[in-house]
Amino acid sequence: MLSRLRKAAESACARPLVTAERLSAATHLLSSLEYMVRRVDREPGGLNDWTHTRAQVPARTRAVQKVRDLIAREPVTQALHGSRALAALVLISPVRNNTVRMAANAYLAGSQVLIYPRHLFGTDGSDQVSFLVQTAAALGRAGGTDATRRAAVQFIGAQTVLSYGASGWAKLPGEAWRSGDALVKIMRTQTYGDEWFFQQLNRYPAVSRAICHAVLALECGFPLLLLKKGRYIDAGLAAMGAFHLANARFMGLSRFAWAFVSTYPSVRALAKGTGEAA
């Protein structure tokens, strides 16, 4: 009986971590495949031409600079992304061995640190979230116990809650967000905009302001969803998930959806655990 209860507890702890690993690994996989295909950004005159970006993140030692220069060579860059894709596929696969999954997580996190200067311009929040997930998962699995894996889940969940809350409070001082004009202004840009959606928002300004204020309120108030034993956490996660899907459709931020949704089971586990502890 005790053995069954122990296995059930381990399974309840493992599921959020495995989900985080797999969906976040999909973020790494998509990222590396995109970088492998878009070589033009690293060619002379490109956004990440090494002759220019090399000085943007100066190395403190010559040894580190030599490593960066080696990674900046296109064949090495391609090989590194290819190996990252393989590590991501290992985590997406049904492999359950703790050591194998720990190594794959650690490799994705470590290689992301190494290759970051090579893609200095163009990285975004999804890269940061996926890095945190893989790092936490690697450390949790390195401990080799249910307690360390649970700690990794709690960290991932807490980091997501903090990210949403901080994002909302950072927007709050902006006049465009308080007035409700931020969304329509974003949609008219070439980088993150969508012509059809901009036209609709421009045609219905009241709806545009309502959506803008709803996003602001949801992000600012997201940490409150941890209260009351996480009674409303599912509704909050569903709303944020829809938000990321909309961003993927209209802003082209598809990797954000994979990265943040990967953390949702961990957020839910944190909310329920926080409530029970209280």
Side-chain angles (χ1 to χ4, degrees), residues 130-155:
S130 58
F131 170 76
L132 287 171
V133 169
Q134 251 64 58
T135 301
L139 293 173
R141 289 191 177 279
T145 67
D146 185 46
T148 59
R149 287 186 285 269
R150 183 181 295 108
V153 169
Q154 292 174 343
F155 172 82

Side-chain angles (χ1 to χ4, degrees), residues 50 52-62 64-66 68-69 116-117 120:
W50 188 241
H52 301 301
T53 57
R54 187 176 187 270
Q56 298 296 318
V57 186
R60 295 190 177 185
T61 66
R62 291 183 178 180
V64 172
Q65 189 60 62
K66 287 182 178 180
R68 289 181 177 178
D69 290 338
Y116 169 76
L120 181 61

Side-chain angles (χ1 to χ4, degrees), residues 57-270:
V57 186
R60 295 190 177 185
T61 66
R62 291 183 178 180
V64 172
Q65 189 60 62
K66 287 182 178 180
V67 171
R68 289 181 177 178
D69 290 338
L70 176 63
I71 293 173
R73 296 178 183 177
E74 189 57 28
V76 178
T77 298
Q78 291 284 343
L80 189 55
H81 279 302
S83 63
R84 281 172 51 77
L86 290 176
L89 288 173
V90 169
L91 290 171
I92 295 171
S93 74
V95 172
R96 299 179 62 180
N97 183 276
N98 186 76
T99 302
V100 172
R101 299 191 73 84
M102 178 200 69
N105 281 309
Y107 183 76
L108 285 177
S111 60
Q112 189 168 351
V113 172
L114 287 176
I115 208 164
Y116 169 76
R118 187 68 183 103
H119 307 294
L120 181 61
F121 300 108
T123 56
D124 53 32
S126 65
D127 296 293
Q128 298 168 11
V129 173
S130 58
F131 170 76
L132 287 171
V133 169
Q134 251 64 58
T135 301
L139 293 173
R141 289 191 177 279
T145 67
D146 185 46
T148 59
R149 287 186 285 269
R150 183 181 295 108
V153 169
Q154 292 174 343
F155 172 82
I156 293 169
Q159 180 62 47
T160 302
V161 173
L162 177 62
S163 296
Y164 282 145
S167 178
W169 286 99
K171 291 183 178 73
L172 199 57
E175 175 60 30
W177 281 99
R178 294 200 308 273
S179 66
D181 294 331
L183 183 59
V184 70
K185 289 181 177 180
I186 294 171
M187 285 300 108
R188 73 181 182 186
T189 64
Q190 184 175 2
T191 303
Y192 294 116
D194 181 89
E195 183 178 357
W196 177 85
F197 195 32
F198 167 72
Q199 292 175 351
Q200 302 308 308
L201 294 174
N202 206 35
R203 184 178 301 175
Y204 305 104
V207 174
S208 176
R209 287 192 293 271
I211 295 174
C212 195
H213 287 147
V215 169
L216 188 61
L218 186 58
E219 288 186 334
C220 287
F222 194 85
L224 297 177
L225 295 176
L226 296 180
L227 302 177
K228 298 289 185 180
K229 297 183 179 181
R231 181 181 300 178
Y232 305 108
I233 193 66
D234 291 335
L237 292 175
M240 292 309 299
F243 167 74
H244 285 299
L245 289 176
N247 283 347
R249 165 60 182 85
F250 297 114
M251 298 179 66
L253 300 175
S254 59
R255 294 207 307 265
F256 268 84
W258 289 99
F260 275 95
V261 172
S262 75
T263 70
Y264 285 5
S266 299
V267 174
R268 193 175 189 278
L270 176 70

